[in-house]
Amino acid sequence: MNAPAMTAEDAAALVEAVADFSRNELAPAAAEIDRTGRSATMHLPQLAQMGIMGLNLPEACGGIGLPATALFEAVAAIAGACGSTASMVTAHWLATDSILIGGTAEQQQRYLPAAAAGQALGAFGLTEPGAGSNPADMTTRAVREGDGYRITGTKHFISNAGEADFIVVYAKTDMAAGARGISAFVVEPKAGGVRCSAPEPTMGLRGGHVFEVSLDCVVPAENRLGEEGKGFRTALKVLDAGRLEIAACAVGIAQAALAAALDWARERKVGGEPIAHFQGLQWMLADMATDIAAARQLGLAAARKREAGERFSMEASMAKLHASEMVGRVTDKALQIHGGYGFTTALPLERYMRDCRIFRIYEGSSEIQRNIIARHLLG
């Protein structure tokens, strides 16, 4: 991917517009979405109007072409306001990135402009009940049938799937070839043969719905992305970007938790004195801010390599590993600073803690990220 043509000034202005929108429109609804489990797709019309559903895509595909460093900051702003909305949006991007990376020009024009405009919602179908950390263990298969492929199998924890207009499904076209037998397909649920469960009841990100998807459908051959057996390569590239976006989500939630802790420390008094005057608490705040700054810089370093068209797999894993662990520490400290009030649902601290816990698990657990980093280091 070549460096985007958007100027730094235009990118900064767009990020600020996304941040304003997130503060004014997303944040006020976040607690209600969490309480009721209402889908974050309720925001789709506004997100589409802002161009957010296509921030990751180039202008040629109907997107905005936001540089990767600015994209990182935009995701952080959305997540800091509403983690569920950030989850829904970035899951959509996993699907559109799959088509951008693995698809032909015709496939890109068939799906991406509508996706960028918020007229079609995407889902990314990789994980299975028995194949999470090692997608090569997947059992979903795609077998030639007539002019297309019959896809059969089950995917699990698939964000957006129950509401998606298209799902990028990864399936084995050669069951004996392991990862080299995986191919990617665009599946349109309206064509039939796709059944989704009710949304899974989750600890956090309750408005970023995830589903189990049962597949027994036939898709035309022109819906295959790239050559047979090349799907796993596409998935790995998509996951690099996805891991960077999770790092951004972690930074955004951590920054929101720190902001809440700072306000509380200035306002809450003990013995007539603001608790911000106590050195022990000041050190907690200093550690939180330092932890967040380190995570942001790791994320931006990976984003700069992505922006330059360089490989950034190790850097994305480092950014996700550090940020996903960091946000747990920061939200815990922020809740501690609030004392008993932090433990109530009247304040967002407990929601931040619940929302961020999944970051250490999905799109490659912290343990998997360490394996990836070590593999790069050892060559």
Side-chain angles (χ1 to χ4, degrees):
M1 180 186 307
N2 294 325
M6 182 179 288
T7 67
E9 292 78 11
D10 288 344
L14 184 51
V15 169
E16 185 55 39
V18 171
D20 286 343
F21 166 78
S22 299
R23 282 190 296 267
N24 297 328
E25 302 295 335
L26 301 182
E32 183 70 8
I33 283 176
D34 177 70
R35 186 183 67 80
T36 63
R38 183 177 179 183
S39 174
T41 54
M42 64 178 280
H43 293 304
L44 261 176
Q46 295 161 293
L47 293 164
Q49 187 174 11
M50 288 289 298
I52 287 171
M53 303 306 287
L55 287 180
N56 63 314
L57 295 174
E59 291 183 12
C61 294
I64 288 179
L66 194 63
T69 47
L71 191 67
F72 184 91
E73 298 291 7
V75 172
I78 295 168
C82 179
S84 290
T85 301
S87 174
M88 181 269 292
V89 170
T90 55
H92 173 76
W93 291 352
L94 292 176
T96 57
D97 278 344
S98 295
I99 297 171
L100 181 67
I101 292 168
T104 63
E106 187 277 329
Q107 289 168 331
Q108 290 167 5
Q109 290 304 313
R110 194 190 331 161
Y111 292 105
L112 297 185
Q119 297 165 356
L121 184 66
F124 178 77
L126 182 66
T127 300
E128 297 186 3
S133 294
N134 185 15
D137 290 339
M138 73 171 56
T139 58
T140 298
R141 62 191 303 171
V143 178
R144 274 283 190 176
E145 184 174 301
D147 294 330
Y149 292 82
R150 179 170 291 277
I151 301 176
T152 55
T154 301
K155 298 294 181 178
H156 203 194
F157 299 129
I158 307 304
S159 297
N160 298 348
E163 299 153 291
D165 298 286
F166 64 94
I167 306 172
V168 177
V169 172
Y170 291 82
K172 283 187 175 176
T173 44
D174 184 345
M175 296 300 291
R180 291 184 176 87
I182 295 174
S183 303
F185 301 85
V186 180
V187 174
E188 299 177 38
K190 67 182 179 183
V194 179
R195 292 186 294 109
C196 290
S197 69
E200 294 282 356
T202 55
M203 171 182 171
L205 300 178
R206 291 173 174 168
H209 291 172
V210 297
F211 303 84
E212 182 169 276
V213 183
S214 299
L215 299 148
D216 186 357
C217 59
V218 176
V219 299
E222 57 264 29
N223 281 31
R224 190 188 70 224
L225 300 176
E227 301 173 22
E228 284 193 6
K230 298 297 175 66
F232 193 56
R233 294 184 188 180
T234 297
L236 290 177
K237 292 178 181 178
V238 171
L239 288 172
D240 285 344
R243 287 164 182 158
L244 192 50
E245 286 150 12
I246 291 172
C249 287
V251 167
I253 290 176
Q255 191 64 55
L258 174 60
L262 288 168
D263 287 343
W264 188 263
R266 294 183 182 109
E267 295 169 6
R268 178 69 169 163
K269 293 183 179 180
V270 173
E273 186 175 1
I275 59 174
H277 292 176
F278 301 151
Q279 187 181 65
L281 187 139
Q282 290 175 358
W283 286 8
M284 291 173 70
L285 293 169
D287 286 345
M288 293 160 70
T290 302
D291 225 358
I292 295 169
R296 174 172 268 115
Q297 290 308 311
L298 277 172
L300 291 174
R304 282 191 288 272
K305 294 199 76 170
R306 181 186 183 188
E307 214 166 281
E310 300 173 15
R311 189 178 182 187
F312 63 103
S313 298
M314 183 176 75
E315 291 79 5
S317 287
M318 286 179 167
K320 181 188 185 289
L321 172 62
H322 179 73
S324 62
E325 299 282 346
M326 170 279 298
V327 69
R329 295 189 293 268
V330 167
T331 53
D332 183 71
K333 285 187 174 76
L335 191 151
Q336 186 73 12
I337 287 168
H338 283 75
Y341 291 99
F343 197 63
T344 71
T345 57
L347 297 177
L349 284 305
E350 58 84 32
R351 168 164 55 87
Y352 294 155
M353 289 192 70
R354 288 186 288 103
D355 280 354
C356 76
R357 184 58 183 86
I358 189 63
F359 296 164
R360 288 150 59 189
I361 299 173
Y362 68 1
E363 292 188 39
S365 66
S366 290
E367 293 73 25
I368 292 297
Q369 301 313 313
R370 291 184 175 99
N371 288 345
I372 293 170
I373 294 164
R375 190 161 62 241
H376 279 278
L377 292 173
L378 294 170

